[in-house]
Amino acid sequence: MITDGRSAQARADLAAGRAALGIELGSTRIKAVLVAPDGTPLASGSHDWENQFVERMWTYSLDAVWSGLQACVGALQADVERQYGAPLTELSGLGVSAMMHGYLAFDADGELLVPFRTWRNTTTGPAAAELSALFGHNIPLRWSVAHFYQAILDDEPHVPQVAMLTTLAGYVHWRLTGRSVLGVGDASGMFPVDPATRGYDARMLAQFDELVGQRRPGLHLAELLPDVLVAGQEAGRLTEEGAALLDPTGSLRAGAPLCPPEGDAGTGMVATNAVAPRTGNVSVGTSIFAMVVLEHPLERVHHELDVVTTPAGDLVAMVHCNNGASELGAWAEVFGRFAAALGHPTEPDAVFGALLGEALEGEADGGGLVAYNYLSGEPITGLDEGRPLVVRTPDSRLTLANFVRTQVYAAFGTLSLGMRVLAGEGVALDTLFAHGGMFRTAGVAQRLLAAAVGAPVAVARTASEGGPWGMAVLAAYLDAAGELDLPTFLSTRVFGSAEVDVVEPDPGDVAGYATFLERYTAGLAAERAATEAL
């Protein structure tokens, strides 16, 4: 047990019920982070999980959701016991976030009608195209309304029974509190939100109802969607049933207030203090996306850009790429096994750090190599399916340094294409904040990302905590929302003394990355051919 002064204050906060808990269900890990009132991390727990590809759909079972949450909270409880000598029993606030978008449809009895269809599925092309044209607003393939309308177009038998649609975060929150609500950021990935009302766009709701009127008479989409709340509003209380779902041991008591459930994009914005205009953030995980807070609406509709909101309801341009760091992680496992085969077993983080460090020794353009990290389809580049590839010419320089640098560049390739569209709209960006596990190795991914986006990239000391920490901060904000708006709360109470490292784009890296991106764009024909042949 730790007994320094900081831990003494933490034990006092825990005993008085002043700690807030954030839980995020990411694509490969469920993580819980406990924080003090000022956002200082106190304890954490996690559980690894993975999606399944069932009948050509990416999904997670609801049983896996709850077994994973219980394992995660159990690990958190063990960490609290180890550090502070007592279990976590009372909370000042609780919040749940998860991967955005997708399709969770329930009947009137609360039964799931079809397996959860995640953001990763790209089967909604006809629906997304028709809705985008109807609304004059980009509707990405992964948005919930695209999934629902595609189910209507396909005349799926479950459609007449749909009584509630929600996201993964909304589903967990509903089971914990009994309330079907969403934070405005997550809601804006289900259906377009009106920034003036901070609710679903009434004009577009009416257009949707009219569109489906002949196929589904009497259907009113607004009746199926969760209520929309903004950051700082109480979204219900943890019920006895909800507390038992999270912590079957009974240590965690019911009654804690919950903040609105959010998507991982919103928590990433909070985790990087990127919720004010001219700020933005990049989150790197299984997917990779950039969020840039807008000073004014975009002038045109772009299929590369989603328009969503911050947890407070301000407009955001989102560049979402389905494929992120998973392929780089797979290669790290290969090299880790190689080290073990040589008699030098090495921890995964050490392998990953060594590889990233090697990337800095590579040629600025990756030595003529090209890589694609496409484990699934990538809408920005027009691919319905993906095949990871490494391509080189006979005169390219295949070294470990060039190979790893190319893999990192590949993780940022589709993102930089989307960011070019944003720059064409004249969107100003002072600094881009980055977070996610890739940035635990200081300076490497940060430097190469700066080259890829052509802007300064900042990483805070909390970057590796990521979205779960951001969700915990939103839960802590419940106590301050009456006196401070969200940007002020973050700037003064959470990030006021935060250590932030800023890296400016290196001219040599910028030029090298531009050369790589030319090859990357030209080589998309090879990626497309691979999806057709394999």
Side-chain angles (χ1 to χ4, degrees):
M1 184 182 2
I2 300 171
T3 57
D4 60 20
R6 180 182 64 82
S7 291
Q9 179 60 53
R11 286 195 299 275
D13 286 337
L14 289 169
R18 291 193 292 264
L21 178 61
I23 302 173
E24 184 158 285
L25 295 95
S27 298
T28 59
R29 187 168 64 152
I30 303 172
K31 185 176 180 182
V33 174
L34 189 70
V35 302
D38 65 353
T40 300
L42 300 177
S44 65
S46 66
H47 169 76
D48 292 337
W49 70 338
E50 189 54 78
N51 55 193
Q52 295 85 42
F53 194 53
V54 180
E55 296 182 356
R56 304 191 69 79
M57 284 284 184
W58 294 103
T59 188
Y60 299 82
S61 73
L62 296 192
D63 287 342
V65 169
W66 293 110
S67 63
L69 281 168
Q70 289 170 8
C72 174
V73 172
L76 172 82
Q77 286 283 22
D79 192 32
V80 172
E81 288 266 13
R82 179 183 62 81
Q83 291 196 71
Y84 310 111
L88 176 66
T89 58
E90 301 281 354
L91 292 168
S92 66
L94 171 62
V96 177
S97 58
M99 57 192 92
M100 292 179 70
H101 319 299
Y103 185 68
L104 278 161
F106 296 87
D107 65 16
D109 296 323
E111 296 297 321
L112 185 68
L113 292 169
V114 291
F116 173 33
R117 298 171 181 176
T118 78
W119 57 270
R120 204 170 188 175
N121 292 291
T122 55
T123 57
T124 59
E130 187 174 348
L131 292 176
S132 295
L134 176 68
F135 297 155
H137 185 104
N138 183 36
I139 302 297
L141 302 180
R142 65 190 178 279
W143 278 25
S144 304
V145 67
H147 281 279
F148 184 46
Y149 186 47
Q150 190 65 55
I152 292 173
L153 291 178
D154 294 341
D155 200 26
E156 292 194 37
H158 76 274
V159 170
Q161 303 172 62
V162 174
M164 184 179 79
L165 299 172
T166 191
T167 65
L168 182 55
Y171 163 70
V172 174
H173 182 97
W174 169 55
R175 291 294 307 275
L176 297 182
T177 65
R179 292 189 62 184
S180 178
V181 300
L182 278 184
V184 63
D186 203 13
S188 67
M190 290 197 77
F191 192 87
V193 163
D194 182 344
T197 65
R198 266 52 172 182
Y200 302 115
D201 188 287
R203 174 184 64 84
M204 296 183 197
L205 282 172
Q207 288 177 311
F208 183 89
D209 290 349
E210 182 178 359
L211 175 67
V212 303
Q214 289 188 344
R215 289 188 179 93
R216 298 294 167 190
L219 188 152
H220 298 290
L221 183 59
E223 297 174 357
L224 309 181
L225 297 174
D227 294 333
V228 182
L229 301 176
V230 299
Q233 290 183 289
E234 185 179 311
R237 297 259 169 173
L238 183 64
T239 63
E240 295 285 351
E241 178 187 4
L245 280 171
L246 287 180
D247 183 9
T249 70
S251 294
L252 187 63
R253 297 171 188 160
L258 272 78
C259 63
E262 268 297 349
D264 50 3
T267 58
M269 301 181 78
V270 172
T272 52
N273 193 21
V275 296
R278 299 177 66 94
T279 65
N281 82 294
V282 169
S283 175
V284 181
T286 301
S287 63
I288 179 171
F289 50 82
M291 309 283 288
V292 179
V293 186
L294 301 175
E295 296 178 280
H296 49 75
L298 298 176
E299 294 183 3
R300 296 178 300 281
V301 176
H302 304 274
H303 82 273
E304 300 92 344
L305 304 177
D306 306 1
V307 177
V308 290
T309 77
T310 70
D314 297 312
L315 284 180
V316 173
M318 180 181 190
V319 180
H320 185 281
C321 312
N322 277 4
N323 299 279
S326 294
E327 180 67 359
L328 180 60
W331 280 110
E333 290 183 9
V334 170
F335 286 111
R337 175 60 193 142
F338 178 68
L342 290 176
H344 301 284
T346 307
E347 288 296 317
D349 278 358
V351 173
F352 201 80
L355 289 174
L356 285 178
E358 186 74 7
L360 292 185
E361 303 300 318
E363 297 173 58
D365 71 341
L369 280 65
V370 182
Y372 298 94
N373 62 334
Y374 294 178
L375 289 163
S376 64
E378 194 58 78
I380 287 180
T381 50
L383 290 163
D384 292 333
E385 295 186 25
R387 302 291 186 272
L389 290 180
V390 177
V391 182
R392 66 188 185 96
T393 59
D395 60 346
S396 60
R397 278 78 63 196
L398 179 57
T399 66
L400 179 61
N402 284 340
F403 178 82
V404 181
R405 179 179 279 245
T406 300
Q407 288 293 331
V408 177
Y409 277 173
F412 300 146
T414 312
L415 176 75
S416 59
L417 294 177
M419 292 296 285
R420 285 182 173 184
V421 177
L422 197 59
E425 276 272 356
V427 174
L429 181 63
D430 294 332
T431 303
L432 198 63
F433 292 86
H435 77 112
M438 186 183 285
F439 300 100
R440 288 200 299 267
T441 301
V444 183
Q446 182 182 6
R447 171 178 154 181
L448 299 184
L449 177 59
V453 299
V457 174
V459 175
R461 61 179 174 82
T462 53
S464 63
E465 298 291 351
W469 178 76
M471 195 68 232
V473 169
L474 283 173
Y477 179 55
L478 285 171
D479 287 337
E483 52 183 305
L484 298 173
D485 61 26
L486 183 61
T488 303
F489 171 75
L490 294 177
S491 297
T492 59
R493 296 199 182 176
V494 178
F495 288 92
S497 59
E499 298 176 11
V500 178
D501 176 43
V502 180
V503 170
E504 298 283 340
D506 176 87
D509 289 340
V510 171
Y513 183 82
T515 300
F516 164 82
L517 195 62
E518 289 178 7
R519 290 196 301 267
Y520 179 93
T521 304
L524 284 168
E527 172 68 23
R528 188 166 290 106
T531 65
E532 295 169 355
L534 300 175

